[in-house]
Amino acid sequence: MTLTAQVKKRLVTIALVAPASLWLFVFLVLPFIAIIVFAFGERGPVGGYQPAFTFEQFANLGARAAAFVNTLVLAPIGAAACLLVAYPVAYYLAIKASPQRRLLLVSLVVVPFWTSLLVRTYAWMYILGARGIPHLLEYIGFDNVRLLNTPGAVLLGIVYGYLPLMIMPIYVSLEKLDRRLLEASADLGAHPISTFFGVTLPLSLPGVMTGIALVTILLLGEYLIPQLLGGGKVFFIGNALVDLFLQSRNWPFGSAIAVTLVAVVVVVLLVAMRIAWRIAGTRQVDLV
Amino acid sequence: MPTNYTISTYHKLGLIDELDLSKVPNFSQKTENPRFTKEGRIDGKTYAVPKNWGTTGFATNTSKLKAKLTSWKDFFEIVQTEADGRGMVHDYQLTTIGSALVSLGYGFNSIKPEELAKAEELLIKVKPHLFAINSDYQPAMRATDAWLTMCWTNDGAQLNRDMPEISYTLGKDGGEIWTDYYAIPKDAPNKAAGYALLNYLMDPNNAVKEHLANGAPTTDSRVIALLPKEITSNKIVYPDEASLTPLEFGAAVTLTDPGRAELMARFKSA
């Protein structure tokens, strides 16, 4: 390759990468630097930020320990519940559905994304509220049943909201599965159940891990669903951040919590990738 | 639209400008009730003019709850018993902690650590019995998901107007009285339009329409004169003077006190 060709190639690369890099730099890296600076500052006398260099905010993280614990418990439970519901759907779409119907069904999975999660969660508030299902239950003799603002309502909202994000990666990995392996397993006398656990499930694990990582990371920052379907009684890191920035206006402490949350997300992601790589052996895993 | 207890802080931080009252000829100091206008003035200068006033009491669905509640002490007791799973408190430290303090016989604005500790103990004991911690309580009250909630005058008037079984009560042991104001931010990009809007809103003929829609009482006697009888005689909107006596205006420090903010966070995460 001549020098000019090399320069040209490099320029093309820069031109292709520049828009996304610039976007991320301005809207992700710079704000994150600001948050790190804030995290070492002090709360002003009536709130906000006051320049300082102190580790006080990080030393105080224990004051929001409950929010971290709630979040770190909810996120994996929510992801596991999503997985239990999503796997059979993805399996049906990839293995059982006829190719003609598959396209229609896969597009139906993403239809909910046409409306904002906020609007859909509000819809659940009315379905679960006293004028919704509990009202129908009154006709068969169950008075004053309360569904809204319960842990079950939060879990339902989470599974509903994040299901497509779990179905899609599992569907993709199952669709790539070589059907001859399933036939070979059957020819060698394996029961369909042992074929599933011995062949299908292990080969779809990269998709499963991608789905779990995707849903878990998003759940770590969840605010809306516990607020609307949990009545604000369950306190997650997202809720703690909203209060610290908007109500008590303790920006430095809120920043320290945000930085810690990002660190937790990075650790979760690294662990998930490591597990996925180990499961997938030497194969490349298409993680997020 | 700052509430009374925020104006001195906004002034201290230089966020709001002194109002040029010559640009608001419809505002009339003479017809304003001084009880509700004094916090808009600092060092003899007017920084904010009142929008309306109100109280923080509680709304009860009387078709669901048989108990007669008259105080914040009753509120916190019924929330744990007859209204178990059906009561709401604000997602706002000023009123939630303030009302808990009042129910224990302390002042609404207390920042004394030992009194706050007692309020925290009460709130944490009450929390498992609550339907929600949320300041948007109208949907839950209208759907009858919630039967009892902390409530501001205007919401109480709206709920009672549409559902007469929902009553509004002021704590006989105390609680909050407030004034909401209009102010103009120092760096507002179009102050001329701000003054034009303010002057429009201060015209009693316009203010009365806002009053009828929103439900909160007016501070201006010119507006009272334009109101229909059923509003001026509505005890939710214009309660007897005696029921206002135990109420307190929120103080600036109550809102900015870090101790109260942390208490609220512990309550919500408990």
Side-chain angles (χ1 to χ4, degrees):
Chain A
M1 207 185 289
T2 64
L3 195 63
T4 45
Q6 238 171 9
V7 168
K8 206 170 157 190
K9 198 179 166 198
R10 182 164 294 175
L11 281 176
V12 168
T13 310
I14 289 171
L16 287 175
V17 173
S21 308
L22 194 68
W23 185 271
L24 286 176
F25 182 75
V26 173
F27 293 109
L28 184 73
V29 177
L30 285 184
F32 192 63
I33 291 171
I35 282 180
I36 291 174
V37 171
F38 274 24
F40 289 100
E42 280 174 349
R43 180 184 188 266
V46 292
Y49 164 74
Q50 188 167 285
F53 185 77
T54 167
F55 292 93
E56 190 192 322
Q57 313 304 342
F58 288 97
N60 196 24
L61 281 177
R64 292 296 181 279
F68 276 98
V69 171
N70 287 342
T71 308
L72 292 173
V73 169
L74 169 97
I77 289 178
C82 273
L83 176 63
L84 288 178
V85 180
Y87 202 97
V89 178
Y91 185 84
Y92 177 81
L93 288 175
I95 312 278
K96 298 288 177 193
S98 69
Q100 296 89 342
R101 291 178 66 193
R102 187 178 297 153
L103 186 66
L104 174 73
L105 292 173
V106 170
S107 48
L108 283 180
V109 169
V110 293
V111 160
F113 284 129
W114 293 359
T115 324
S116 132
L117 181 65
L118 177 66
V119 174
R120 287 181 283 132
T121 308
Y122 257 100
W124 275 113
M125 275 176 77
Y126 287 94
I127 293 169
L128 298 175
R131 297 265 153 94
I133 294 170
H135 185 59
L136 299 177
L137 290 175
E138 278 171 23
Y139 290 115
I140 51 167
F142 296 97
D143 281 345
N144 293 332
V145 172
R146 190 159 72 83
L147 301 174
L148 190 60
N149 296 2
T150 58
V154 175
L155 195 63
L156 179 95
I158 282 169
V159 171
Y160 169 78
Y162 291 100
L163 198 56
L165 295 177
M166 187 65 89
I167 292 177
M168 291 319 275
I170 300 175
Y171 164 74
V172 168
S173 65
L174 281 172
E175 211 216 357
K176 284 190 302 196
L177 187 92
D178 190 339
R179 306 299 160 90
R180 289 171 303 180
L181 293 173
L182 303 182
E183 287 160 16
S185 175
D187 287 348
L188 294 170
H191 189 270
I193 293 177
S194 35
T195 300
F196 176 77
F197 283 105
V199 181
T200 315
L201 185 63
L203 288 173
S204 66
L205 277 182
V208 170
M209 290 310 297
T210 306
I212 288 178
L214 203 59
V215 172
T216 306
I217 288 166
L218 289 171
L219 279 177
L220 287 174
E222 182 58 52
Y223 163 73
L224 193 70
I225 295 171
Q227 190 65 24
L228 293 184
L229 300 179
K233 289 196 296 172
V234 191
F235 203 59
F236 295 109
I237 297 175
N239 306 70
L241 288 174
V242 169
D243 280 4
L244 283 169
F245 279 93
L246 300 182
Q247 274 212 27
S248 55
R249 302 190 68 251
N250 193 341
W251 295 0
F253 189 34
S255 302
I257 289 176
V259 169
T260 310
L261 177 63
V262 171
V264 170
V265 169
V266 169
V267 169
V268 169
L269 191 61
L270 288 177
V271 170
M273 284 172 77
R274 174 155 290 197
I275 294 173
W277 267 317
R278 188 177 301 162
I279 289 166
T282 50
R283 285 194 304 135
Q284 191 66 35
V285 179
D286 43 346
L287 258 175
V288 234
Chain B
M1 230 185 279
T3 305
N4 49 285
Y5 43 77
T6 61
I7 296 168
S8 63
T9 305
Y10 289 173
H11 169 252
K12 196 159 65 187
L13 295 174
L15 298 175
I16 49 176
D17 261 344
E18 184 190 352
L19 291 176
D20 179 356
L21 290 178
S22 69
K23 292 180 182 155
V24 197
N26 286 335
F27 173 71
S28 135
Q29 186 73 61
K30 284 197 306 292
T31 55
E32 292 285 347
N33 181 340
R35 173 195 217 161
F36 303 116
T37 55
K38 63 170 190 290
E39 287 181 87
R41 291 169 66 84
I42 298 166
D43 302 332
K45 294 175 184 168
T46 302
Y47 286 86
V49 290
K51 173 178 178 282
N52 45 32
W53 66 279
T55 54
T56 309
F58 47 86
T60 313
N61 186 324
T62 54
S63 68
K64 296 282 187 185
L65 291 175
K66 295 296 152 240
K68 278 296 278 155
L69 293 84
T70 60
S71 63
W72 284 108
K73 191 167 179 293
D74 293 344
F75 176 91
F76 283 103
E77 197 184 301
I78 298 299
V79 143
Q80 299 176 71
T81 51
E82 201 190 339
D84 193 352
R86 302 292 182 172
M88 290 178 75
V89 299
H90 289 164
D91 185 2
Y92 190 35
Q93 67 88 347
L94 190 101
T95 47
T96 292
I97 298 174
S99 306
L101 284 163
V102 166
S103 80
L104 296 165
Y106 305 126
F108 181 86
N109 289 304
S110 175
I111 49 168
K112 288 187 191 138
E114 64 280 7
E115 295 182 1
L116 288 176
K118 292 280 181 202
E120 177 170 0
E121 201 181 299
L122 172 65
L123 287 171
I124 286 175
K125 185 159 75 103
V126 161
K127 189 182 170 190
H129 302 283
L130 291 175
F131 172 69
I133 302 168
N134 192 337
S135 309
D136 184 20
Y137 41 83
Q138 278 211 37
M141 286 300 285
R142 286 174 186 272
T144 69
D145 277 309
W147 303 343
L148 179 62
T149 182
M150 272 179 197
C151 185
W152 287 295
T153 301
N154 44 316
D155 290 309
Q158 289 172 23
L159 285 168
N160 177 263
R161 181 187 64 203
D162 300 338
M163 296 173 72
E165 69 270 30
I166 297 181
S167 69
Y168 179 77
T169 314
L170 293 175
K172 68 173 196 293
D173 43 3
E176 190 201 11
I177 184 168
W178 45 263
T179 313
D180 280 345
Y181 289 81
Y182 295 111
I184 298 184
K186 184 155 270 173
D187 47 8
N190 190 347
K191 283 191 182 156
Y195 276 109
L197 175 65
L198 192 55
N199 195 42
Y200 176 83
L201 292 166
M202 285 294 130
D203 179 339
N205 292 307
N206 299 324
V208 75
K209 289 180 201 155
E210 199 272 341
H211 187 317
L212 292 173
N214 169 276
T218 179
T219 59
D220 186 345
S221 61
R222 293 177 303 168
V223 181
I224 293 181
L226 297 174
L227 285 167
K229 184 88 180 67
E230 68 263 27
I231 300 286
T232 49
S233 63
N234 183 335
K235 290 293 173 222
I236 297 178
V237 187
Y238 291 100
D240 297 328
E241 191 55 39
S243 61
L244 299 179
T245 317
L247 307 184
E248 296 168 75
F249 277 100
V253 65
T254 312
L255 188 69
T256 55
D257 178 54
R260 286 181 68 129
E262 285 305 292
L263 194 170
M264 192 67 187
R266 288 194 296 274
F267 163 55
K268 287 173 74 177
S269 64

